[in-house]
């Protein structure tokens, strides 16, 4: 039995299709190296660029090479382990807290600067009159 593939475009899943049908879709431009594909035996999606000989059979090796050069960082990425994910979230939360503290310090400094520049006003004649009445 030939391997059956599924592919995903704009959150829509298509398939099952054979390898030969994938080759035809690459030639037509329906599938690109960045299209997500999987087989009925896989639980995780992979890039079409990682399907062995797909772009060679389709005569689109240049397209694959160009995409690989542009996306090399993505192809090297691996999922984070639960421990690494927890550490990343803790680092992000700490950085967010530090950013808030920097904003608070800047606001406090700005408020202090504003209050220093305000001239103190002398009490007006009406205020002095009433202050004199109540101080007796």
């Amino acid at each position: 039995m030939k391997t059956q593939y599924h592919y995903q475009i704009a959150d829509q899943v298509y398939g099952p299709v054979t390898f030969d049908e994938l080759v035809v879709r690459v030639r037509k431009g329906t599938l690109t190296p960045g299209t997500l594909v999987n087989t009925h035996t896989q639980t995780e999606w992979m890039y079409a660029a990682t399907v062995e000989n797909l772009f060679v059979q389709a005569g689109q090796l240049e397209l694959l090479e160009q995409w690989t050069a542009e996306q090399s960082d993505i192809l090297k990425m691996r999922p984070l382990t639960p421990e690494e994910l927890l550490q990343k979230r803790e680092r992000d939360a700490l950085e967010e807290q530090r950013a808030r503290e920097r904003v608070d310090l800047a606001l406090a400094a700005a408020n202090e600067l504003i209050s220093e520049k305000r001239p103190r006003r002398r009490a007006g004649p009406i205020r002095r009159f009433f202050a004199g009445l109540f101080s007796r």
Side-chain angles (χ1 to χ4, degrees), residues 2-66:
K2 288 188 173 184
T3 303
Q4 297 287 306
Y5 292 88
H6 292 86
Y7 61 96
Q8 186 177 26
I9 298 175
D11 295 329
Q12 182 71 32
V13 177
Y14 300 92
V17 295
T18 65
F19 180 82
D20 293 334
E21 291 170 327
L22 284 181
V23 170
V24 170
R25 284 169 174 75
V26 169
R27 287 181 182 148
K28 288 182 178 180
T30 306
L31 289 179
T32 65
T35 303
L36 294 174
V37 297
N38 77 357
T39 65
H40 63 280
T41 60
Q42 293 176 312
T43 57
E44 293 183 16
W45 291 87
M46 62 184 178
Y47 291 111
T50 62
V51 176
E52 191 172 340
N53 292 323
L54 176 59
F55 289 87
V56 173
Q57 291 286 328
Q60 298 290 328
L61 190 56
E62 303 82 26
L63 179 65
L64 175 64
E65 290 171 348
Q66 177 186 356

Side-chain angles (χ1 to χ4, degrees), residues 9 12 45 47 70 77 84 91 100 120 124 128:
I9 298 175
Q12 182 71 32
W45 291 87
Y47 291 111
E70 293 171 356
M77 286 177 36
E84 291 171 330
R91 281 193 311 269
R100 275 194 228 114
R120 297 209 179 251
R128 283 193 307 255

Side-chain angles (χ1 to χ4, degrees), residues 57-121:
Q57 291 286 328
Q60 298 290 328
L61 190 56
E62 303 82 26
L63 179 65
L64 175 64
E65 290 171 348
Q66 177 186 356
W67 185 85
T68 302
E70 293 171 356
Q71 304 296 326
S72 63
D73 290 340
I74 292 175
L75 292 175
K76 292 176 187 174
M77 286 177 36
R78 63 173 175 76
L80 297 176
T81 64
E83 295 82 18
E84 291 171 330
L85 185 58
L86 182 61
Q87 290 172 352
K88 182 183 181 321
R89 287 180 180 162
E90 289 172 351
R91 281 193 311 269
D92 291 348
L94 183 61
E95 182 58 35
E96 187 176 328
Q97 180 183 355
R98 287 179 180 161
R100 275 194 228 114
E101 289 171 357
R102 286 192 297 269
V103 168
D104 290 344
L105 285 173
L107 287 174
N111 285 335
E112 187 176 313
L113 188 62
I114 289 170
S115 67
E116 287 177 3
K117 289 188 175 184
R118 284 188 191 149
R120 297 209 179 251
R121 294 191 314 175

